[in-house]
Amino acid sequence: MKGTDSQPEIVEGCRLPVLLRNGDGWHMAEILGKKDLKGKNLYYIHYEDFNKRLDEWVTEERMDIAKLVQPSKEAKTPKKEGVKSGTESRPSSPEREVVSTPNGSAAPTTGNKKFSSSSRKRKGADDSENIESATPSRTSTPTVPSGIDPLATPTSSRNNTPTLGLQQQNNVALNEDGSKKPRQTGSMVAHHDDIVTRMKNVEMIELGKYRIRPWYFSPYPQELTSLSIVYICEFCLKYVKSKKCLERHIQKCLLRYPPGNEIYRKGNISFFEIDGRKNKAYAQNLCLLAKLFLDHKTLYYDTDPFLFYVMCEQDCKGYHIVGYFSKEKESTEDYNVACILTLPPFQKKGFGKLLIEFSYELSKCEGKTGSPEKPLSDLGLLSYRSYWSQTILEILITMTPSEGNDRPVITINDISEMTSIKKEDVISTLQHLNLINYYKGQYIITLSHEQIDTQNKAMEKRKVRIDPKCLHWQPKDWSKRGKW
């Protein structure tokens, strides 16, 4: 659209106020793309300071064009190479073949609780130091051991890395000259954030009985990005172009559960372990599906180094995917989760905590402490902080005084060993809950009535928990298995 005397030209990189979808006022947004739909201009916008999953196509009626700010040359949104000005700027996916059939085809108590120890006064707390309470009231600002929050998001490097798996942006190593370089192993590789990956390319997916609007870009084949709906088999996760193709595929699809070993079952909840090398097609399709709802990830196709743990709900028709997490077969940093997702139809039902709890049960079987890869997404951070808080508080509340002491005594190491939560995450959670205080030369934990009541109410809502007796799994030593 060319600008006139009354209306300036709206181009990619422009900023202007946009009326929010719920009508709750105006918010500054950046134009990322535009297209013509039946003679009407649509603009793809990103709300500043909002998560990318809220990005959307809007019409001019929702835009305050009078307050349009033209982009500066430095801040201009990068365009995809080869896209001519004036053409539809909706991103497509890298060229990939669409595979089709021949037919077209994640114990209540009350009162203040105190924990004691006989540790000597120090400038900083040791990890294994006993934690003690000497007062019934909370002190103001606690002095905390190990003052770095391990959940803080480090700076990531940008790099177009051609290696392929579903991986997290971040965690860079150093070259010999001290410059940063992305890790080439494991599951954390940075990606190049260009205009293609900034824009959603799939409008809708149909998975089983659910139609879901994706949140982020995922490199499905280019032919699928022009469709109004992408159809996905809920058992093998194969993607097809139409409802008819899906019906034909389902008649031939032999799977009614993920292609791996069922290692847990209780009630209608099951977990399957899938080897990324043995079941490469399923693992790659799972990564493609997950990328639609994960922003802190780069999608690659080398799934060999990963194990995938898929949680399903069972009914008479089969095992329906609810969520999953992946982990490296060999992790030098003791990460027990590389990527974790509960599909949108199953969110806010406790399944996210169930996935996290299961990942720590595996760590207990391995005799290790574990932690998820950082940085976590906003929803991932909320889920993990909530799980860590409830798990640690559950231990503290149910503790009894030790022999010869009128107060319970516990160390950071004790909590870490009991839960398999890494010590840094235990300390971070205690900091976040503001539980650690420094009193008379000792670090103490004091729980208020309000915190105990809140914890008890939260635990009452967790109807489904992992039962370790139902887990049938033996950890493998992948270092002795050659190339997995």
Side-chain angles (χ1 to χ4, degrees), residues 187-378:
S187 60
M188 295 175 78
V189 176
H191 81 83
H192 183 68
D193 186 16
D194 57 17
I195 189 62
V196 175
T197 61
R198 291 183 71 186
M199 296 173 62
K200 303 172 191 175
N201 60 330
V202 178
E203 289 187 19
M204 187 82 70
I205 64 168
E206 182 173 302
L207 182 69
K209 62 181 180 180
Y210 298 103
R211 283 193 175 177
I212 313 169
R213 194 173 297 278
W215 295 353
Y216 306 110
F217 171 91
S218 181
Y220 276 93
Q222 189 172 7
E223 301 94 307
L224 299 180
T225 60
S226 60
L227 304 176
S228 57
I229 300 176
V230 175
Y231 296 85
I232 300 175
C233 173
E234 61 177 329
F235 299 115
C236 72
L237 305 184
K238 176 185 173 68
Y239 44 85
V240 293
K241 295 180 177 180
S242 67
K243 186 74 171 179
K244 194 68 177 177
C245 293
L246 180 64
E247 291 172 354
R248 290 170 177 167
H249 166 77
I250 290 175
Q251 292 175 356
K252 299 176 181 180
C253 184
L254 301 177
L255 288 180
R256 288 298 176 266
Y257 51 83
N261 298 322
E262 184 179 19
I263 61 174
Y264 179 93
R265 183 193 296 180
K266 185 172 183 181
N268 67 334
I269 299 294
S270 291
F271 278 85
F272 291 83
E273 181 185 61
I274 291 96
D275 188 321
R277 183 182 67 85
K278 294 180 180 178
N279 299 283
K280 193 181 293 284
Y282 181 90
Q284 290 178 355
N285 287 338
L286 178 60
C287 290
L288 277 172
L289 173 63
K291 183 61 188 73
L292 292 170
F293 309 101
L294 295 169
D295 186 32
H296 290 331
K297 299 289 177 180
T298 305
L299 191 62
Y300 301 106
Y301 289 92
D302 181 16
T303 58
D304 290 16
F306 296 95
L307 294 170
F308 298 83
Y309 295 89
V310 179
M311 179 169 65
C312 297
E313 274 189 329
Q314 180 194 9
D315 62 16
C316 59
K317 295 182 179 179
Y319 293 77
H320 309 276
I321 182 171
V322 170
Y324 89 104
F325 67 89
S326 61
K327 64 183 293 187
E328 294 177 90
K329 294 174 181 177
E330 290 185 277
S331 174
T332 56
E333 296 88 353
D334 286 335
Y335 292 132
N336 64 354
V337 166
C339 166
I340 187 167
L341 171 71
T342 304
L343 291 172
F346 304 97
Q347 292 179 358
K348 298 183 179 180
K349 296 181 180 180
F351 289 119
K353 285 192 179 69
L354 204 63
L355 282 165
I356 296 172
E357 186 177 7
F358 190 80
S359 70
Y360 281 107
E361 283 299 327
L362 297 185
S363 294
K364 290 177 184 178
C365 292
E366 293 173 317
K368 300 177 180 178
T369 58
S371 181
E373 291 186 1
K374 315 294 191 308
L376 293 163
S377 65
D378 55 347

Side-chain angles (χ1 to χ4, degrees), residues 21-37:
R21 181 183 293 181
N22 57 8
D24 189 18
W26 299 78
H27 194 88
M28 206 66 178
E30 179 188 1
I31 306 292
L32 297 184
K34 62 181 179 180
K35 66 180 180 180
D36 183 277
L37 184 65

Side-chain angles (χ1 to χ4, degrees), residues 89-101:
S89 59
R90 175 182 179 136
S92 60
S93 304
E95 290 289 348
R96 285 186 56 213
E97 179 184 359
V98 181
V99 182
S100 59
T101 65

Side-chain angles (χ1 to χ4, degrees), residues 127 146 148-151 369-371 374 388 412 416 421-431:
D127 284 337
S146 181
I148 299 178
D149 185 354
L151 293 177
T369 58
S371 181
K374 315 294 191 308
W388 289 334
I412 299 293
S416 182
I421 300 174
K422 222 170 179 58
K423 287 185 290 185
E424 291 83 355
D425 295 331
V426 173
I427 294 170
S428 169
T429 303
L430 293 174
Q431 291 175 346

